[in-house]
């Protein structure tokens, strides 16, 4: 394979730039040409494609976002859209494609693969919700953003003796909420994977207050429902003054952590190796700190499993 393409798609994630950089540099090191495809699959269909050289990916390793921009494309979900994409790839003489993104992006890569175009998926999403990998690019940075924000909220929560409901991202996956709950010493964590009876949450708040606790933190994943509604429910059921903070898209930006930069570089290196071997239809991942790869279509059929032992530990600690 002599000429490959790279694109980022779906919600951006800190560390995507480090992945693009590693794809471009490693491919060039191995005498391949690399073309950047801008604005995800939308840009692919529109032919927003440009050759990248070593210098094009300079000074991006430390930046959040993605220098290739991103998009969520409805049109690419159609047969027609995918054919348009393949036409563009052929027009530029691109023989293999690396897609950095979440499961929506992997669906696109699987569709292209099924049409005979070799694609490799690199998991990049703050949600950490991709099967076949223990971690996705951006999860660690987003987690650390939440930790910093909750530490700050805790200061004011203590000063005013308030209860806080903090809504974090995670449409279908509770990883960010759960990990942040553990790292921030929250009283309760509400995640889509586990139903937590409201009475348990209230009981924990009351027990804490009776012990003389000055503040309480509840972390809720957006997939569970509105943080504002939950805050109102708490205030109605207790005498505790409650405030709600929705962290929102702040979680998607910022300088990637060291862990994300290294993960992104390793996964990208592996993706290039697979294309060099002539493989397609794979996703790369990290499991037990080993780089792995799986059939992308099979991986999409699996669901990501949250580590429930962390939830159990959380319940044992936040008594
Ligand atoms: O998939 C990543 C994610 O940040 C989710 O956690 C969140 O629900 C969603 O993207 C938000 O998407 P958008 O930026 O399109 O509103």
């Amino acid at each position: 394979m002599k000429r490959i393409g790279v694109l980022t798609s779906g919600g951006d994630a800190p560390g995507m730039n480090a992945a693009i950089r590693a794809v471009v540099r490693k491919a060039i090191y191995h005498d391949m040409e690399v073309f950047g495809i801008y604005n995800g699959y939308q840009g692919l269909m529109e032919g927003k494609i440009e050759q990248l050289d070593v210098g094009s990916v300079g000074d991006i390793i430390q930046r959040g976002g993605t220098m290739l921009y991103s998009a969520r494309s409805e049109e690419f979900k159609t047969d027609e859209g995918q054919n348009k994409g393949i036409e563009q790839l052929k027009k530029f003489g691109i023989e293999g494609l690396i897609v950095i993104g979440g499961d929506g992006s992997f669906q696109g890569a699987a569709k292209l693969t099924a049409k005979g175009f070799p694609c490799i998926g690199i998991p990049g999403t703050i949600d950490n919700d991709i099967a076949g990998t223990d971690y996705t690019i951006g999860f660690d940075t987003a987690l650390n953003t939440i930790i910093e924000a909750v530490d700050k909220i805790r200061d004011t929560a203590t000063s005013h003796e308030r209860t806080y409901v903090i809504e974090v991202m995670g449409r279908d996956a509770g990883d960010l909420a759960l990990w942040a709950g553990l790292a921030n010493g929250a009283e309760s964590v509400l995640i889509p994977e586990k139903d937590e009876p409201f009475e348990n949450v209230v009981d924990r708040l009351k027990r804490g207050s009776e012990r003389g606790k000055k503040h309480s933190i509840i972390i809720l994943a957006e997939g569970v429902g509105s943080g504002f509604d939950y805050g109102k429910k708490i205030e109605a059921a207790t005498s505790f003054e409650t405030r709600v903070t929705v962290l929102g898209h702040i979680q998607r930006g910022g300088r990637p952590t060291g862990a994300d930069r290294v993960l992104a570089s390793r996964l990208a290196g592996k993706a290039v190796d697979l294309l060099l071997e002539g493989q397609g239809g794979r996703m790369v991942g990290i499991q037990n700190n080993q780089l792995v790869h799986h059939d992308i279509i099979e991986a999409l059929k699996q669901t990501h499993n949250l580590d429930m032992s962390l939830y159990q530990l959380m319940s044992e600690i936040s008594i």
Side-chain angles (χ1 to χ4, degrees), residues 2-303:
K2 277 286 158 211
R3 188 175 279 192
I4 65 168
V6 57
L7 63 79
T8 49
S9 151
D12 61 351
M16 280 184 165
N17 276 329
I20 297 166
R21 172 181 178 271
V23 165
V24 171
R25 298 233 169 132
K26 177 153 174 169
I28 291 174
Y29 177 88
H30 288 282
D31 294 327
M32 292 199 284
E33 290 177 330
V34 192
F35 282 70
I37 296 155
Y38 291 84
N39 303 96
Y41 292 117
Q42 193 58 40
L44 172 62
M45 291 182 295
E46 292 166 11
K48 289 189 179 169
I49 301 174
E50 213 172 77
Q51 187 165 3
L52 301 174
D53 59 22
V54 173
S56 349
V57 291
D59 200 24
I60 60 165
I61 195 165
Q62 78 282 19
R63 295 184 204 283
T66 156
M67 67 161 277
L68 292 176
Y69 309 113
S70 195
R72 299 188 200 274
S73 168
E74 283 305 312
E75 191 186 348
F76 197 75
K77 290 182 184 159
T78 66
D79 208 45
E80 237 182 18
Q82 291 146 23
N83 291 340
K84 266 194 206 170
I86 291 183
E87 263 170 47
Q88 291 291 349
L89 290 164
K90 286 192 176 147
K91 189 169 130 196
F92 283 83
I94 296 169
E95 301 159 290
L97 178 66
I98 293 181
V99 172
I100 308 167
D103 66 342
S105 316
F106 279 19
Q107 300 279 0
K111 289 278 160 52
L112 291 180
T113 297
K115 285 176 181 283
F117 195 88
C119 291
I120 307 289
I122 300 181
T125 163
I126 63 164
D127 290 352
N128 207 40
D129 61 348
I130 308 269
T133 187
D134 294 342
Y135 300 105
T136 57
I137 298 167
F139 173 66
D140 187 64
T141 308
L143 172 65
N144 279 285
T145 300
I146 298 171
I147 291 171
E148 197 185 334
V150 177
D151 283 347
K152 287 177 177 165
I153 289 169
R154 186 192 271 267
D155 290 343
T156 178
T158 309
S159 307
H160 289 268
E161 304 195 30
R162 283 173 176 159
T163 293
Y164 267 82
V165 176
I166 298 159
E167 184 186 309
V168 301
M169 276 187 167
R171 246 179 326 212
D172 308 308
D175 292 55
L176 279 174
L178 179 56
W179 282 62
L182 266 176
N184 282 113
E187 268 63 45
S188 295
V189 160
L190 302 161
I191 54 175
E193 293 88 343
K194 179 93 177 115
D195 198 29
E196 174 72 327
F198 183 64
E199 306 74 62
N200 292 0
V201 175
V202 169
D203 285 351
R204 269 198 295 275
L205 290 178
K206 289 186 174 158
R207 273 202 306 274
S209 159
E210 279 157 21
R211 270 200 339 264
K213 231 173 159 247
K214 298 281 185 223
H215 63 256
S216 296
I217 304 281
I218 298 166
I219 301 190
L220 170 140
E222 63 177 334
V224 171
S226 152
F228 285 105
D229 292 346
Y230 207 85
K232 279 192 202 127
K233 241 173 106 177
I234 297 271
E235 215 162 33
T238 66
S239 55
F240 305 138
E241 192 181 11
T242 305
R243 292 286 186 275
V244 178
T245 302
V246 177
L247 293 183
H249 285 80
I250 194 172
Q251 296 160 93
R252 283 242 295 263
R255 297 171 64 230
T257 58
D260 269 330
R261 296 180 201 196
V262 172
L263 176 67
S265 306
R266 290 178 75 191
L267 292 175
K270 185 71 185 170
V272 173
D273 280 338
L274 293 178
L275 285 182
L276 279 167
E277 287 166 16
Q279 298 211 47
R282 313 293 294 172
M283 66 154 283
V284 293
I286 190 150
Q287 289 176 314
N288 302 318
N289 203 25
Q290 298 298 313
L291 292 172
V292 293
H293 55 103
H294 305 285
D295 183 286
I296 198 163
I297 298 173
E298 288 307 311
L300 278 168
K301 290 184 194 153
Q302 316 288 318
T303 40

Side-chain angles (χ1 to χ4, degrees), residues 298-309:
E298 288 307 311
L300 278 168
K301 290 184 194 153
Q302 316 288 318
T303 40
H304 156 76
N305 287 322
L306 180 94
D307 184 350
M308 287 313 282
S309 72

